Amino acid sequence: MDKLLSSRFNHESLPGDYIFPPELRPGDLKIPFSSSISVIDLSEAQNGDRTNTIQKIIKASQEFGFFQVINHGISENAMNEVRSVFKELFEMPEEEKQKLCSNDPSKKCKMFTSSVNYATEKVHLWRDNFRHPCHPLEQWQHLWPENPSRYRECVGSFSVEVKMLASRILSLISEGLGLECGYFEKGLTESVFLSINHYPPCPEPSLALGITKHSDPNLITILLQDHVCGLQVFKDGNWIAVEPIPNAFVINIGYQLQVISNGKLISAEHRAVTNSHDTRTSAAFFVAPSDECIIEPAEALTDEHHPPIYKAFNYKDFNSHYFAKYGNTDIVLKSFEVQKG
Ligand code: OGA
Ligand code: NI
């Protein structure tokens, strides 16, 4: 495996194998933040304005597939702690990080640079990544890194809080869609996978990418953005930037929620761009179904006037298909659509 970006010093010029073809390059990096991506105050849902909060969440999920949440109940202190542990992780000495690095596809807890397809991909991503499952905690925590020394405890308690936040948001979504209470409680949210992205300053940000255009394969993603901007959403043919808001989480709808809602909610395409000044570290908690879970449009949302758009499938099969077609966002869901006529 190639050396981690975070262990290579003096990124003076961008190596040729990081330059994307012109049609994929980010180009203009100064696109304005979009105020159209809703910022939803979750405390309002508790203070009697549940219906209004639900409406805002559903509207944002229909139009953008993205929204941000504030006053979500996870303390500022916990967020600062976990952010600093993630930064520390990538700032550890090379030998320490090498212990976590692996090319083994079956290994669930690992660090690598660019993507798991480093050896075969045409262009590399300007990022290092560390990922592992988080839930159930007892099953995975002992496989997490021993260093930084507070990693296990700090990330462990944070991931439990994130899972609870995801449940709260999903219960508002299920109510908004008209699904039975607890619809997302069991198999659909059995897995929580953490993926930490570390994007060092890049010498040529307009030619490189941190993550290429994709939609998330899971049910819903809870993203802890950095204070540094870099996340962009593709909306009506244009890229819009998601403003970093202190202590907010960015929430995005994954393909599974698009299928279950029978296309009512959308799983928007997004990417991460880099910049030449600041290191950016983001952490995505992917809430996902268990492998054997059967995914299909919810019965309550289909009838003879609203026939299911998607066929039933097994989440594991979807995932293999997703990774085989990675980045080809137009065709990922096509194989799971009901043929018309
Ligand atoms: C992802 C992702 C965006 C970011 O990890 O799937 O879209 O801002 N990350 O790092
Ligand atoms: Ni994503």
Side-chain angles (χ1 to χ4, degrees):
M1 191 198 303
D2 218 52
K3 221 170 163 187
L4 295 166
L5 285 175
S6 54
S7 306
R8 287 193 248 159
F9 295 103
N10 299 327
H11 298 296
E12 273 165 11
S13 61
L14 186 69
D17 49 0
Y18 285 86
I19 301 178
F20 275 89
E23 66 281 9
L24 297 179
R25 289 177 196 167
D28 182 11
L29 290 160
K30 292 204 175 54
I31 54 173
F33 293 129
S34 172
S35 55
S36 45
I37 293 188
S38 300
V39 179
I40 296 170
D41 182 342
L42 279 190
S43 68
E44 284 177 0
Q46 260 156 344
N47 302 334
D49 216 351
R50 196 174 161 88
T51 314
N52 190 22
T53 312
I54 290 173
Q55 275 170 359
K56 285 189 202 160
I57 292 181
I58 297 294
K59 186 164 184 282
S61 307
Q62 275 176 319
E63 289 178 7
F64 288 86
F66 265 83
F67 55 95
Q68 306 210 49
V69 293
I70 54 167
N71 296 328
H72 40 64
I74 301 187
S75 76
E76 197 177 319
N77 196 23
M79 296 181 87
N80 288 338
E81 276 284 296
V82 83
R83 264 194 288 254
S84 80
V85 175
F86 293 152
K87 287 202 194 315
E88 236 178 89
L89 177 78
F90 289 98
E91 282 163 6
M92 292 195 302
E94 175 66 10
E95 314 81 77
E96 202 60 49
K97 283 187 285 193
Q98 279 305 325
K99 289 186 205 160
L100 307 175
C101 284
S102 172
N103 284 329
D104 180 353
S106 69
K107 212 165 169 216
K108 295 205 161 182
C109 176
K110 62 187 164 197
M111 190 178 276
F112 53 84
T113 192
S114 183
S115 86
V116 288
N117 302 320
Y118 189 91
T120 51
E121 68 196 6
K122 288 199 194 96
V123 186
H124 303 309
L125 304 177
W126 194 263
R127 68 141 185 200
D128 293 335
N129 183 274
F130 181 60
R131 56 181 57 190
H132 60 68
C134 292
H135 181 79
L137 202 54
E138 319 75 72
Q139 190 180 339
W140 303 107
Q141 200 177 24
H142 66 284
L143 298 172
W144 298 357
E146 283 175 2
N147 286 315
S149 56
R150 60 203 167 109
Y151 188 94
R152 289 185 187 176
E153 195 199 325
C154 180
V155 179
S157 53
F158 195 78
S159 60
V160 169
E161 289 199 77
V162 168
K163 173 123 190 354
M164 289 191 308
L165 172 61
S167 299
R168 276 175 63 207
I169 294 171
L170 285 166
S171 88
L172 296 168
I173 291 180
S174 70
E175 200 174 322
L177 288 173
L179 300 175
E180 77 220 45
C181 175
Y183 189 90
F184 295 107
E185 291 290 293
K186 288 167 244 112
L188 290 170
T189 50
E190 205 158 284
S191 155
V192 179
F193 203 91
L194 169 60
S195 168
I196 312 161
N197 295 298
H198 179 85
Y199 312 96
C202 175
E204 291 274 7
S206 63
L207 306 179
L209 280 168
I211 302 186
T212 50
K213 178 163 115 176
H214 68 284
S215 285
D216 291 352
N218 48 304
L219 187 75
I220 194 165
T221 305
I222 316 282
L223 179 84
L224 181 57
Q225 246 214 120
D226 203 332
H227 304 301
V228 180
C229 48
L231 175 62
Q232 299 184 338
V233 178
F234 198 56
K235 163 83 174 151
D236 303 329
N238 296 308
W239 287 103
I240 54 179
V242 182
E243 184 174 4
I245 296 178
N247 303 317
F249 284 100
V250 177
I251 312 295
N252 69 287
I253 304 297
Y255 278 128
Q256 307 316 309
L257 207 39
Q258 177 167 333
V259 170
I260 291 165
S261 68
N262 204 30
K264 188 167 180 197
L265 310 185
I266 58 156
S267 172
E269 295 168 309
H270 54 283
R271 68 181 181 185
V273 300
T274 63
N275 75 83
S276 54
H277 310 285
D278 302 307
T279 298
R280 177 169 184 264
T281 307
S282 69
F285 290 85
F286 297 113
V287 178
S290 57
D291 275 355
E292 49 300 331
C293 206
I294 303 292
I295 312 294
E296 59 190 327
E299 245 174 66
L301 301 181
T302 57
D303 57 32
E304 56 176 313
H305 304 294
H306 306 91
I309 307 175
Y310 307 103
K311 300 184 263 195
F313 54 82
N314 177 292
Y315 183 59
K316 191 177 183 181
D317 295 340
F318 177 89
N319 243 332
S320 340
H321 175 81
Y322 175 87
F323 287 105
K325 300 272 182 288
Y326 188 78
N328 239 325
T329 41
D330 297 342
I331 59 169
V332 171
L333 276 182
K334 278 272 178 289
S335 336
F336 300 100
E337 283 175 10
V338 173
Q339 304 300 321
K340 293 198 186 86

